[in-house]
Amino acid sequence: MQKYSIFNLVKNAFSGHQNWDLAWKDPTPKKEYDVVIIGGGGHGLATAYYLAKEHGITNVAIIEKGWIGGGNVGRNTTIIRSNYMHDDNALFSEFGMDLWRKMSQDLNYNVMFSPRGIINLAHSDAQMNVYARRGNSMRLNGIDAVLLNREQVKEIIPMADFSENVRFPIFGGLMQPSAGTARHDAVAWGYARQADSMGVDIIQNCEVTGFDVSGGKINGVRTSRGDIKVKKIGLCVAGSTNILAEKLNMTVPVETHLLQACVSEPVKPILDRVVTFGAGHFYISQSDKGEMVMGGDLDGYNSYAQRGNLPTLQHVLTEGIAMMPFLSKLKMLRTWGGIMDMSMDGSPIIDKTHIEGLYLNCGWCYGGFKATPASGWTFAHTIAQDRVHKLNAGYSLNRFNTGHLLDEKGLGTKTWIS
Amino acid sequence: MLYIKCPHCGMRSQNEFSYGGDATVKRPELDKEISDQEWDNFVYNRKSLRGKHWELWQHLSGCRQWIKVERDTATHEIFNTLKANEEIS
């Protein structure tokens, strides 16, 4: 594989950048693989990469119905954080933070990781207490957390509304300084390029039409480009989990819901952190191009539409304007939607299933992007070793049966309620 | 914007409604022996398929009645609405 470096950049400049290698190939599916990963999103590509890199398993295919990186990894608001209270979530995410810090070097691809810090705003004394508790839990797990008072928050984000007569005054906030953002497409492309270079077949425009299961074991997968024999399949399809589960006669504790995001017209640098509104569901950061990147609530009903509806967007942006009034002056540049695999306790599932050779990775709700490296790493381990790693032991499928729920937000089973 | 025809009030905008999830999920009968799996299916497991979906909505800012709505989860087209006590045919 051609290394991306300043020397290669200069060298290729002499030939007008016409002779770069393709970043990944477009192979025809083989008849048989050791492992097939279904879903060419961030998590699927990362899984294939770590299967090859950490476990030496390179006879792997990624099967993607559309094009790689066209789902949620191409549609998210690029926030990376590990500000969780529960141990299972915190340790998993913080392991991921380490992988994020090394990712550009590791993949030889600039993912533009920008640890600019995230601030969750508090709007009451009670909320400050809750944040103090969460911050302490984070610090016990080795994650940086700083509790900020009103004046400290004002110093960092003076453009927020600090006037006295507002409905949700800013009391302070919880900051994770090491959190940040990354260039989402580069993550997908970086993993794809490295996986491809180690021998993984990335097969796009290939739809899974069925599975060959007999005697409780996976024997193969049927696709629109032919049948493939395989003993191990990793399901990594986020919002399409329910569709593939039905083909396997499984029901899963997941519902598919619609989440919107939007960006404003680009403006000069004003916001150098990620900020979330504490009295509703709204988050904002500024991209390198200057656009304000914003998102918030789910539309709130089951949907596969990948496009949003105006009432929710209006509601979300009302919160944004309450938090940062200058946003009302900005024009909207783009809005879009993606489909989320909402699990019944708000936490993901990375586990084996009752079918031998079938592994499940789903339930990321709206927090899947930041988990990309840790999800790929632990899912690769689970597939290669046929057992879960201690980092994803809490993300079991049967926790709903045994009562060991991981309800970080305490929302109960209706995680789509806002 | 979705427009939902409330069987009690007529056609109203989505803003007046709140969503209540899959309408075909049935609570297991309490006077029978119930397996853990049946409870799981009632509380957690969902089909959530692409296509026609019967679901519960509440006309929260209207008559406050719960209703059943048949909607396509891919196109958001609404085919049918029923009162809560009407059976899905």
Side-chain angles (χ1 to χ4, degrees):
Chain A
M1 186 186 64
Q2 218 169 1
K3 195 171 156 54
Y4 290 164
S5 67
I6 184 75
F7 303 108
N8 269 329
L9 191 65
V10 171
K11 196 175 110 191
N12 277 280
F14 289 112
S15 53
H17 296 293
Q18 298 298 305
N19 299 320
W20 286 100
D21 290 349
L22 285 177
W24 52 84
K25 296 178 282 292
D26 184 20
T28 309
K30 289 191 280 188
K31 290 273 172 263
E32 187 167 357
Y33 288 96
D34 292 339
V35 179
V36 165
I37 305 293
I38 300 171
H43 291 220
L45 294 162
T47 303
Y49 168 71
Y50 291 112
L51 273 174
K53 184 184 172 229
E54 303 287 339
H55 306 280
I57 300 172
T58 56
N59 187 21
V60 176
I62 295 171
I63 295 177
E64 166 58 47
K65 183 183 172 189
W67 60 96
I68 59 165
N72 295 342
V73 73
R75 294 163 188 261
N76 61 79
T77 48
T78 79
I79 299 166
I80 293 159
R81 58 187 175 84
S82 60
N83 53 358
Y84 286 98
M85 189 171 79
H86 289 311
D87 289 349
D88 288 312
N89 286 330
L91 296 172
F92 178 88
S93 306
E94 187 56 16
F95 175 77
M97 292 302 292
D98 277 338
L99 295 174
W100 278 111
R101 290 176 198 117
K102 295 183 283 201
M103 190 182 287
S104 289
Q105 286 72 28
D106 194 21
L107 298 180
N108 178 230
Y109 206 109
N110 186 3
V111 300
M112 296 163 75
F113 177 54
S114 161
R116 60 184 69 182
I118 185 168
I119 301 172
N120 302 129
L121 293 179
H123 306 278
S124 67
D125 279 328
Q127 204 167 11
M128 285 298 281
N129 290 341
V130 170
Y131 282 174
R133 180 181 178 222
R134 174 142 66 95
N136 284 333
S137 300
M138 287 164 62
R139 292 172 75 128
L140 286 170
N141 279 324
I143 302 163
D144 55 331
V146 185
L147 195 65
L148 305 170
N149 63 28
R150 180 178 162 92
E151 291 310 311
Q152 291 167 313
V153 173
K154 194 173 179 179
E155 232 164 76
I156 301 171
I157 48 165
M159 77 297 286
D161 193 348
F162 286 92
S163 48
E164 296 294 331
N165 59 343
V166 289
R167 173 67 183 83
F168 300 109
I170 294 170
F171 274 57
L174 180 67
M175 179 161 71
Q176 185 192 359
S178 66
T181 60
R183 169 92 176 99
H184 53 151
D185 293 325
V187 176
W189 298 336
Y191 275 123
R193 176 169 161 266
Q194 287 291 347
D196 174 89
S197 79
M198 288 188 282
V200 172
D201 281 357
I202 297 173
I203 301 158
Q204 305 182 73
N205 300 309
C206 178
E207 182 179 358
V208 169
T209 54
F211 294 88
D212 180 6
V213 182
S214 61
K217 284 184 189 171
I218 280 284
N219 293 311
V221 58
R222 291 190 287 278
T223 79
S224 57
R225 295 175 67 180
D227 294 354
I228 296 169
K229 271 177 73 176
V230 64
K231 295 273 183 243
K232 288 182 173 183
I233 292 178
L235 218 57
C236 229
V237 293
S240 301
T241 301
N242 290 98
I243 296 175
L244 288 187
E246 198 207 16
K247 294 186 199 296
L248 288 154
N249 292 320
M250 284 172 72
T251 51
V252 285
V254 168
E255 281 186 26
T256 295
H257 281 258
L258 173 65
L259 180 68
Q260 298 189 71
C262 57
V263 294
S264 75
E265 58 184 329
V267 289
K268 286 183 178 178
I270 178 168
L271 182 64
D272 59 357
R273 313 280 167 148
V274 181
V275 183
T276 73
F277 185 54
H281 205 169
F282 174 80
Y283 44 87
I284 185 166
S285 64
Q286 190 170 19
S287 75
D288 296 322
K289 287 183 283 185
E291 303 150 335
M292 308 307 292
V293 186
M294 300 170 279
D297 282 316
L298 294 168
D299 274 35
Y301 43 82
N302 294 48
S303 177
Y304 284 88
Q306 287 191 311
R307 67 177 184 284
N309 218 333
L310 213 49
T312 306
L313 203 57
Q314 189 176 25
H315 168 73
V316 167
L317 292 172
T318 305
E319 296 174 44
I321 290 165
M323 183 174 96
M324 293 183 176
F326 81 94
L327 294 174
S328 68
K329 308 269 191 215
L330 298 182
K331 291 188 178 68
M332 189 70 76
L333 193 64
R334 291 194 304 280
T335 78
W336 64 93
I339 53 174
M340 309 293 122
D341 35 338
M342 299 301 296
S343 72
M344 292 288 160
D345 62 356
S347 296
I349 295 158
I350 308 177
D351 202 0
K352 298 163 66 171
T353 63
H354 70 282
I355 299 170
E356 196 180 322
L358 181 77
Y359 304 85
L360 187 62
N361 180 332
C362 67
W364 291 97
C365 298
Y366 25 61
F369 176 67
K370 66 170 177 296
T372 305
S375 164
W377 195 95
T378 52
F379 197 38
H381 180 280
T382 305
I383 293 170
Q385 313 272 330
D386 194 37
R387 62 189 166 87
V388 295
H389 190 271
K390 67 177 185 211
L391 283 168
N392 63 316
Y395 294 160
S396 65
L397 178 57
N398 76 349
R399 69 178 185 269
F400 299 93
N401 186 280
T402 61
H404 294 87
L405 298 186
L406 205 53
D407 50 347
E408 184 78 25
K409 290 185 179 168
L411 288 174
T413 58
K414 291 182 167 51
T415 45
W416 33 265
I417 284 181
S418 48
Chain B
M1 178 80 83
L2 301 180
Y3 288 96
I4 300 171
K5 188 177 168 192
C6 172
H8 308 280
C9 314
M11 196 67 90
R12 297 299 176 94
S13 88
Q14 164 193 352
N15 292 339
E16 296 186 12
F17 293 84
S18 78
Y19 183 66
D22 191 334
T24 63
V25 177
K26 284 255 186 328
R27 187 187 173 107
E29 306 247 352
L30 286 179
D31 51 355
K32 286 191 189 140
E33 191 68 28
I34 302 159
S35 68
D36 284 354
Q37 189 58 48
E38 281 172 283
W39 269 117
D40 267 11
N41 289 341
F42 167 60
V43 181
Y44 297 117
N45 292 329
R46 294 290 177 270
K47 284 193 176 140
S48 184
L49 292 178
R50 193 175 200 276
K52 286 188 177 182
H53 188 241
W54 275 102
E55 55 205 18
L56 294 168
W57 289 76
Q58 190 189 10
H59 195 184
L60 196 66
S61 307
C63 62
R64 300 189 67 81
Q65 296 295 309
W66 282 94
I67 61 168
K68 293 173 183 169
V69 177
E70 188 185 32
R71 186 181 56 94
D72 191 303
T73 57
T75 64
H76 295 173
E77 184 183 356
I78 292 171
F79 305 102
N80 207 347
T81 53
L82 294 174
K83 294 175 184 171
N85 60 359
E86 290 177 322
E87 287 297 321
I88 298 162
S89 55

